[in-house]
């Protein structure tokens, strides 16, 4: 991870303002969804992209039972389930 040298304080509601320079560099616009997760002792913010739960592809995604799946993985699952039936 690259340090930016920018320090921000957390306000009383737990909010942190992302500097405009970072938002412009990362293409984060107002109301864009951000994914928040932990990586060891670090908190990571990442612009949320819909991706396949199996291969992380961002192309040709659809939702199946609340999970995002790409067409390629769905086809693989279909082949797998057909071989289980035989």
């Amino acid at each position: 991870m690259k340090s930016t040298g920018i320090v921000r304080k957390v306000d009383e509601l737990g909010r942190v303002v992302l500097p405009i320079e970072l938002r412009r560099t990362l293409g984060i616009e107002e109301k864009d969804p951000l994914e928040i997760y932990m990586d060891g002792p670090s908190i990571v913010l990442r612009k949320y992209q819909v991706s396949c739960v199996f291969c992380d592809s961002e192309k040709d995604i659809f939702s199946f039972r609340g999970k995002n799946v790409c067409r390629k993985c769905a086809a693989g699952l279909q082949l797998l389930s057909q071989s289980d039936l035989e």
Side-chain angles (χ1 to χ4, degrees):
M1 242 184 278
K2 184 178 175 185
S3 176
T4 64
I6 300 170
V7 177
R8 293 287 192 253
K9 291 185 179 185
V10 177
D11 74 8
E12 62 278 355
L13 296 176
R15 297 176 296 199
V16 177
V17 175
L18 299 177
I20 189 83
E21 299 85 11
L22 287 178
R23 287 183 279 145
R24 284 182 181 152
T25 300
L26 298 172
I28 297 172
E29 302 291 331
E30 187 176 318
K31 304 216 179 184
D32 279 350
L34 296 178
E35 184 176 11
I36 304 168
Y37 62 95
M38 292 179 61
D39 184 10
S42 300
I43 298 170
V44 179
L45 297 174
R46 178 169 72 178
K47 190 171 178 177
Y48 178 71
Q49 298 288 331
V50 175
S51 62
C52 177
V53 295
F54 298 109
C55 70
D56 285 331
S57 172
E58 296 173 1
K59 295 180 182 175
D60 209 11
I61 303 295
F62 67 95
S63 181
F64 177 73
R65 295 186 180 170
K67 304 292 182 191
N68 296 318
V69 182
C70 71
R71 301 264 177 223
K72 186 175 178 181
C73 288
L77 288 170
Q78 185 175 14
L79 289 174
L80 179 64
S81 66
Q82 287 174 355
S83 67
D84 286 345
L85 296 174
E86 296 173 359

